[in-house]
Amino acid sequence: MIQVFSKRQDKPHSYGYGEIDAPVFDPIEFAISPNGTDWTSCFDMPDMDGVYCTRAPDVQPAVMTDNLKKVGLQDGSRLLSTSYSTRELKMETYFDGIDEGDAMLAYDALQRFLISREAYWICFANWPQRMYYVRAKLAAPTFTNEKSWTCEVTFTDLIGLSRSVGTTQDTVYGFGNNLKQKPQYAFSTSKFTVYNGSNVLIDPERRGHPFKMTLNGSSNGNLKITNKTTGDFVHGTSDLKFNGSFVIDGVNPKLNGEGCLLDLTKDDNVITLQIGDNDFEVENFTGTVSFDFAEWWLS
């Protein structure tokens, strides 16, 4: 399982009996990652000792952009397509140190942790299975006295959706998943159902969503994989015979690690996943089928 947050056993928490140095609130841990796999927690940064998140971003509204077209003299416009736009997430931070120099160094450490030329993923412990692809902007610190300050951090969510930490092959479960039971993503029968817990259609071609379908086994040709819910299918020719692995990685087919686009028919050969249940049928194949994709949510 992906380790997002600190392994410390002594994480900062609201003070108890005799803990005079502890904050009066429970700080919210946050962590950042360049790739969504390797994470660094704010609680593991010695220079940020005492820098606490007092409020993580609230549930954010999705922002949609419509692509419209005017048609002749008809009233109104026609909707051609929609996409989710960037949005802002806000975090409140607090520090109470020893003296003015300590407060200045703490702000500098926070800035070095969050400010980057490159975008990165961020995850908050109060919603630990979701991450956002962001760039950060820090406001100037507001000093309440010479050794204490508050600071608002504004993140630009570049995708406009939150993404699952991990994929269906390495899922991080948590608050807000709305799952009654753990879904299955590996199958050995010719007919099965794949659950997409996202709030959007998984579309590797038009939306660029990571998606991988792996068939380990054998086929004597004319392989066909159909998502009966969406009508999508992948259809191999009679030459697509194998004993090994056939993979659809996004929109790219691979046979035992080598590209095999010419071994497919000239149909679309792209698989999408509708929100919720997707009923599949696999023909002319014996073996196992597995699905690996990230989930996306509006909030």
Side-chain angles (χ1 to χ4, degrees):
M1 179 178 290
I2 296 174
Q3 182 69 39
V4 177
F5 299 109
S6 175
K7 294 182 179 180
R8 287 176 53 180
Q9 300 299 313
D10 60 341
K11 291 185 181 182
H13 58 275
S14 59
Y15 71 91
Y17 180 76
E19 297 177 319
I20 59 175
D21 294 329
V24 298
F25 56 88
D26 283 318
I28 300 172
E29 185 178 4
F30 57 95
I32 63 175
S33 169
N35 52 22
T37 302
D38 305 305
W39 291 86
T40 302
S41 167
C42 61
F43 287 169
D44 289 331
M45 302 298 293
D47 291 347
M48 289 176 59
D49 187 30
V51 178
Y52 300 133
C53 170
T54 59
R55 181 166 185 164
D58 295 324
V59 175
Q60 296 298 308
V63 179
M64 299 193 74
T65 298
D66 296 331
N67 180 18
L68 304 175
K69 181 180 180 179
K70 182 69 177 174
V71 180
L73 297 177
Q74 294 183 20
D75 295 328
S77 298
R78 295 296 177 264
L79 179 64
L80 300 181
S81 63
T82 61
S83 61
Y84 291 100
S85 301
T86 61
R87 56 185 174 182
E88 289 189 345
L89 316 175
K90 294 185 182 295
M91 175 178 77
E92 299 289 341
T93 58
Y94 168 82
F95 178 78
D96 183 22
I98 300 172
D99 52 30
E100 183 178 5
D102 192 30
M104 293 173 63
L105 290 173
Y107 179 82
D108 183 56
L110 177 64
Q111 181 166 244
R112 285 186 280 110
F113 186 66
L114 292 178
I115 298 299
S116 171
R117 293 183 186 273
E118 305 297 328
Y120 53 83
W121 295 98
I122 191 165
C123 184
F124 300 91
N126 63 330
W127 212 336
Q129 85 283 8
R130 302 187 181 208
M131 59 184 184
Y132 303 87
Y133 195 58
V134 301
R135 292 190 72 245
K137 180 179 180 180
L138 272 66
T142 301
F143 282 86
T144 54
N145 56 52
E146 72 279 359
K147 63 185 182 67
S148 302
W149 50 257
T150 60
C151 175
E152 182 181 73
V153 183
T154 301
F155 298 101
T156 300
D157 177 7
L158 297 175
I159 296 177
L161 297 169
S162 64
R163 176 183 156 164
S164 60
V165 176
T167 65
T168 51
Q169 295 299 313
D170 191 14
T171 304
V172 176
Y173 293 100
F175 170 73
N177 277 41
N178 296 323
L179 293 176
K180 296 180 179 179
Q181 59 185 9
K182 185 177 179 179
Q184 181 180 353
Y185 292 103
F187 310 90
S188 56
T189 57
S190 61
K191 295 183 180 181
F192 50 83
T193 299
V194 177
Y195 180 73
N196 172 21
S198 306
N199 297 145
V200 298
L201 174 85
I202 298 296
D203 189 342
E205 181 180 36
R206 293 180 298 175
R207 306 296 185 185
H209 295 147
F211 172 84
K212 182 179 288 187
M213 179 176 61
T214 303
L215 284 72
N216 285 312
S218 61
S219 173
N220 291 323
N222 295 309
L223 168 71
K224 188 172 184 181
I225 308 150
T226 306
N227 183 345
K228 293 191 171 183
T229 302
T230 63
D232 301 327
F233 62 88
V234 172
H235 193 185
T237 67
S238 59
D239 294 328
L240 187 65
K241 301 176 182 179
F242 65 91
N243 185 6
S245 67
F246 174 76
V247 177
I248 297 291
D249 189 355
V251 296
N252 300 310
K254 295 181 180 180
L255 180 60
N256 294 325
E258 301 291 335
C260 61
L261 183 61
L262 296 179
D263 292 324
L264 301 182
T265 63
K266 294 183 179 180
D267 301 305
D268 287 343
N269 288 306
V270 174
I271 295 293
T272 64
L273 296 178
Q274 189 55 265
I275 300 170
D277 290 338
N278 291 260
D279 296 324
F280 274 82
E281 182 175 5
V282 180
E283 301 173 63
N284 302 315
F285 171 77
T286 302
T288 61
V289 184
S290 62
F291 293 79
D292 188 12
F293 58 92
E295 294 181 306
W296 302 87
W297 299 294
L298 300 181
S299 298

